[in-house]
Amino acid sequence: MPRLLAPLAALLLLLLPAPPAASAAAAAPAGYQVGAGIADITAGVAEVGMLGYADPAQTTAGLASRLWSRAFVVADGAGGRVAFVSAEIDFVTTAVQVEVLQRLRARYGATYTDQNVVLTATHTHSGPGGFDDHILYNLTTLGFEAPVFEAIVAGIVRSIDAAHADLAPGAVKIAEGTLTGANVNRSIEPFNANPAADRARFPGAVDTRMTVLRFEQAGRPIGLLDFFATHGTSMTQHNHLISADNKGYAAHVIEEEVQGVDWAHRGDFVAAFAQTNAGDMSPNLRGGGAQGPTDDEFANTRIIGRLQADKARQLFDGATEVLSGPIVARGRYVDFSAVPVAGAYTPDGQAHRTCPGALGQNFTAGAEDGPGPDIVDEGDLNTNPLLLVAGIVVNPTPAAVRACQAPKDVFLGTGSQNPPWTPQVMPLQVLRIGQLALTTAPGEFTIVAGQRVRDAVDAQLAGVTTHQILAGYANAYAGYVATPEEYDLQHYEGAATHFGRYTQSAYAQELAKLAAAVRDGQATPSAVQPPSLTRNRISVRPGVVLDSPPLGKSFGSVVTQPAAAYPRGAEVRADFVTGHPNNDVRDEGTYVEVQRQVGSAWETVATDSQWQTLYRWKREYLGVSTAQITWTVPAGAAPGTYRIVHHGDAKGLTGTIRPFTGTSRSFTVTP
C-alpha cells in the first residue's frame, strides 16, 4: 500500500487421529452446500479522509462506484464450513474483524468463528478511512469515523447472512491459469536481491498466477471468486471519488455484462476479485509502477479490471475440477512482537526473533505508484536527522527495538507505545476445502515472500491438498511482508515490514504449524487475543451542521440542465442543489437514477451502483452544496427519452434530516 498506510473457515472439525490422508478420506462428505451474497458497504461519501495514499488533503467528494462486500459460504456434510468475504476497502482492520465476529456469534452461535471466517480486502486506495482503533491507521483521516465503520461491519455481516441463507446443495470447481499485462514489479531492486532460485520462479519479476473458484447450485453458476496479485492503485492519489478500483470494475464486468445482473436483482450472481501477494505488484505498467497504461486514471481502472475479468471468465467457463473432501479450518492469534523463529525458516539457518512493530524512515518515501514527500529516497540507509528527531518526539522507540529492527532506521516505533499504534496480535488461518488449501495472513506480501509462505504450507500438506491460495489483506492489517533479503535494502516495502527482518520467516513458520494442525486434526487454541482499544475511537472532524439552499432555490433544484440530445458514448450532465450526502448513506439505495420513458412511465436504467454514472459533491459555501451527476450513455443504450433523477437529504436548523428528489428535464438518446 503506498506511503504511510500502504498499507489489508469452517466450524471446528475434529478428525480422527489416524493417518492424515486416510482420516481425511474417511471423513469426506458426499458433497457441499454453497451460497453467495453481496451487500453495500458505502459510506463517508463527502469530506471524509481517504485511506491508502495517506494524504490528509485527499478527502471524499462523491462516488465513482459504490463499494460492496461479497461473501461465499461452503459447508460439507460433517460440520465443516468456510465463510470467505472480499470487501472493497483498503484493508481489513482488527476492529472490523472483532465486531463482525461478535455480530455473527449473536446470530449463529458457534457456526461462524475466527477460525472459519475469512475477511479480506480488495485493497482499493479510493475508499474512506477511519474504521480502526489503532492510532496510526486513523492519523491521516483525522480520527475514527463511526458511520464508515458501521457501514463496513453491517455490510459484511449482511453479505454473510445472504450467503448463509442462500446455502443449497452444489459444487465448487477450481481452475488455474496465468494473466500477463495486468501487473508489474514496482520494487525491482529488492526483488533482485533474492537468491537466483527464488527469482527464477517469477519470470519478468511478476506473479502472473490466477486462480478462479466456480460456485454452482444444481449445475447453475451462482458465483465466481478470483485471486490475482495487483494493487488497487489504478485510481491515483489525486482522486476524490470513492471507487472500487480495478478489482471492483472486474467484478462489475462479470456481474453485469457477463451474467446480466442489474441493480434491481443484485445477488443473482456474485463475482469477487480478491488479492493474493500483491505487495510489490502494481497495475501501473509504465515507469516501473509509477504510471498507468494511459494518462487517464478512469481508463486505467477499466483496462486493468477488464484484463482480470476476461481471464477470470475464461477460467470460469473452463473449470471442470470439482473440489471434494472434508472442509477443515484452523486459526490462531499470534503476538508477532516477539516470535522465536527456528533456523529452518531463516536464510542463515540460525534462530532469530521478530520485533515490536516499527516503520522505517524510508517508508515515508512511499512507493512508485504513491510517492511520499521529498524527504528521503527508497533504499537510502543514511539516517535522516529530521525524521529521527520527529520520530523521537512523537513516537519514542527503545534502543533494543531499534537494534532488533536493524538495518531498518526506525522512524515510528508503532508497537512500542501503550497502547500500540498498530496491531501486534495477528490472526492467521489455514483452511482446507477438499484438495484446496487457503492460507490467510494480515499483510501485503511481496511475491517472493508469499511464495516462501506457500512453500512452508505445502510442505505440511503434501499428499493432502494439491492447490493453494495465499489470501493477503486478511482479518487485520500489519503492513508489508518483505523477505529478509529485500528487507536489507530498506525500500518502501522493507521499511514498512512491521516486525523486523524475520517477519516473513515468522509467518512461514506459524502458518506451517497451522497447516500441520489441518493435516493432523489437532486443535489450535490461541494464547493471546487482540486487545480492546475502543477508547481510541475519537474524531476531530465535525459532522454535518446545516444544509441550506441558495437564495431563490430549493433542494433538488436543477442548476445545470442536460442538453436536448446525446449520441451513444456521450456524457450527459445535470447539476442539482443538494444536501450533504453523509446525512444518509442510502445503504442499498442510490443518490442517482437515470430513467427512460416507456409509454407513460419512467423506467430506471442506471443508478450509482453502475460504473456509467459519476456523482460529484461540492460545497459551494457555508451550508450550500451542489451535486454534479454525469452519465456516459452506453453503446447499447436504446434510443428514446431519458432524464436524470437525484435523491438527497438535507439537515435543517433543528437537526431534522429530510429527503428530497430533483429531476432534470428530459433529453433524447439518438441511435
Side-chain angles (χ1 to χ4, degrees):
M1 171 179 160
R3 297 176 63 182
L4 176 61
L5 302 183
L8 222 70
L11 177 66
L12 188 61
L13 178 63
L14 298 178
L15 302 177
L16 295 173
S23 172
Y32 294 155
Q33 284 197 322
V34 300
I38 184 171
D40 191 354
I41 57 173
T42 309
V45 177
E47 298 185 317
V48 170
M50 301 178 84
L51 184 58
Y53 291 116
D55 183 353
Q58 189 190 22
T59 55
T60 58
L63 284 175
S65 67
R66 282 193 171 263
L67 305 179
W68 304 97
S69 172
R70 295 174 171 90
F72 303 86
V73 175
V74 186
D76 64 21
R81 182 179 300 251
V82 172
F84 185 95
V85 170
S86 175
E88 292 175 339
I89 53 179
D90 190 65
F91 51 79
V92 176
T93 66
T94 301
V96 166
Q97 189 219 24
V98 168
E99 184 64 24
V100 166
L101 291 174
Q102 286 179 351
R103 297 188 189 187
L104 291 175
R105 189 179 308 117
R107 283 170 165 79
Y108 302 104
T111 301
Y112 296 105
T113 71
D114 56 13
Q115 302 229 341
N116 68 359
V117 174
V118 184
L119 307 181
T120 71
T122 62
H123 200 43
T124 175
H125 284 45
S126 292
F131 50 92
D132 194 26
D133 295 339
H134 291 91
I135 291 175
L136 185 74
Y137 300 154
N138 291 343
L139 276 180
T140 59
T141 57
L142 301 183
F144 186 76
E145 293 287 346
V148 174
F149 175 79
E150 177 59 27
I152 292 171
V153 169
I156 288 174
V157 172
R158 286 200 314 276
S159 70
I160 296 174
D161 285 342
H164 179 89
D166 188 50
L167 281 170
V172 182
K173 297 177 180 178
I174 188 170
E176 298 173 326
T178 59
L179 171 62
T180 59
N183 57 7
V184 297
N185 197 313
R186 71 181 192 191
S187 197
I188 193 68
E189 188 176 346
F191 172 84
N192 286 334
N194 290 303
D198 287 322
R199 302 196 308 272
R201 300 175 76 169
F202 296 101
V206 294
D207 187 350
T208 61
R209 293 171 293 186
M210 177 179 283
T211 301
V212 168
L213 300 182
R214 177 187 174 111
F215 296 82
E216 298 179 354
Q217 292 176 346
R220 176 180 65 88
I222 66 161
L224 176 156
L225 177 54
D226 176 272
F227 293 88
F228 179 74
T230 196
H231 249 72
T233 52
S234 292
M235 298 297 289
T236 71
Q237 63 201 81
H238 305 293
N239 168 57
H240 291 270
L241 299 180
I242 289 175
S243 170
D245 212 276
N246 57 70
K247 288 189 177 290
Y249 187 72
H252 156 76
V253 169
I254 297 296
E255 289 175 347
E256 185 170 310
E257 294 186 15
V258 176
Q259 294 295 330
V261 176
D262 63 40
W263 67 275
H265 300 93
R266 196 177 303 123
D268 287 355
F269 185 92
V270 177
F273 283 74
Q275 287 285 11
T276 60
N277 39 233
D280 48 0
M281 295 291 97
S282 173
N284 298 311
L285 307 181
R286 296 181 294 161
Q291 296 172 291
T294 75
D295 292 332
D296 183 336
E297 60 187 336
F298 292 94
N300 296 338
T301 297
R302 286 168 166 79
I303 289 168
I304 301 301
R306 188 167 290 279
L307 286 170
Q308 293 175 79
D310 288 348
K311 184 63 182 182
R313 181 185 183 185
Q314 178 189 25
L315 294 174
F316 182 84
D317 290 343
T320 58
E321 181 182 350
V322 178
L323 297 182
S324 62
I327 295 177
V328 186
R330 294 295 183 269
R332 178 187 288 126
Y333 290 101
V334 177
D335 184 350
F336 262 72
S337 66
V339 176
V341 185
Y345 297 95
T346 63
D348 61 5
Q350 302 299 309
H352 294 279
R353 296 181 71 85
T354 59
C355 320
L359 295 171
Q361 293 187 12
N362 291 348
F363 98 100
T364 65
E368 284 70 12
D369 47 5
D374 190 17
I375 300 175
V376 296
D377 295 323
E378 283 192 281
D380 185 353
L381 296 179
N382 296 312
T383 299
N384 182 295
L386 175 63
L387 291 179
L388 176 64
V389 172
I392 291 173
V393 170
V394 303
N395 193 278
T397 305
V401 174
R402 292 183 178 276
C404 180
Q405 288 275 353
K408 178 189 290 177
D409 216 337
V410 173
F411 170 40
L412 297 176
T414 58
S416 301
Q417 312 310 307
N418 186 20
W421 283 25
T422 55
Q424 308 297 291
V425 177
M426 310 313 303
L428 305 177
Q429 295 165 312
V430 175
L431 311 99
R432 177 187 173 191
I433 307 174
Q435 64 268 38
L436 169 66
L438 177 61
T439 302
T440 82
E444 305 190 49
F445 289 72
T446 65
I447 57 176
V448 175
Q451 187 59 53
R452 290 183 183 177
V453 166
R454 295 181 197 222
D455 290 344
V457 170
D458 281 340
Q460 302 300 321
L461 293 177
V464 178
T465 58
T466 54
H467 303 278
Q468 187 190 166
I469 295 168
L470 172 60
Y473 311 91
N475 299 315
Y477 182 73
Y480 280 79
V481 183
T483 67
E485 296 89 340
E486 294 166 345
Y487 184 90
D488 288 345
L489 270 65
Q490 283 297 290
H491 279 235
Y492 173 73
E493 292 80 8
T497 294
H498 283 207
F499 304 111
R501 190 173 191 266
Y502 300 99
T503 299
Q504 172 261 301
S505 304
Y507 275 113
Q509 172 185 278
E510 297 304 308
L511 286 163
K513 292 178 183 178
L514 289 175
V518 168
R519 179 194 66 210
D520 298 336
Q522 300 299 314
T524 55
S526 296
V528 293
Q529 293 287 325
S532 175
L533 299 176
T534 54
R535 63 186 180 277
N536 287 345
R537 296 183 180 181
I538 301 170
S539 177
V540 300
R541 271 187 209 278
V544 180
V545 177
L546 174 70
D547 294 301
S548 58
L551 189 63
K553 300 288 185 180
S554 59
F555 292 113
S557 294
V558 184
V559 293
T560 301
Q561 292 281 6
Y566 296 89
R568 292 165 177 159
E571 184 177 271
V572 183
R573 172 180 169 179
D575 294 2
F576 299 82
V577 175
T578 193
H580 202 293
N582 293 356
N583 288 327
D584 188 335
V585 298
R586 296 199 161 262
D587 184 32
E588 305 289 355
T590 184
Y591 296 104
V592 176
E593 287 187 77
V594 179
Q595 298 179 339
R596 176 174 176 263
Q597 190 170 22
V598 180
S600 60
W602 289 92
E603 177 184 276
T604 299
V605 298
T607 70
D608 62 21
S609 294
Q610 283 133 316
W611 287 67
Q612 57 198 250
T613 63
L614 293 176
Y615 165 51
R616 292 182 172 92
W617 180 87
K618 181 182 179 183
R619 183 184 294 280
E620 300 293 347
Y621 56 90
L622 299 176
V624 176
S625 60
T626 54
Q628 179 193 111
I629 295 171
T630 57
W631 176 52
T632 300
V633 183
T641 301
Y642 290 77
R643 68 184 186 184
I644 293 177
V645 178
H646 168 48
H647 301 289
D649 304 89
K651 188 173 186 178
L653 281 170
T654 63
T656 301
I657 296 173
R658 291 187 172 86
F660 63 85
T661 297
T663 304
S664 77
R665 72 184 181 189
S666 61
F667 57 91
T668 301
V669 170
T670 58

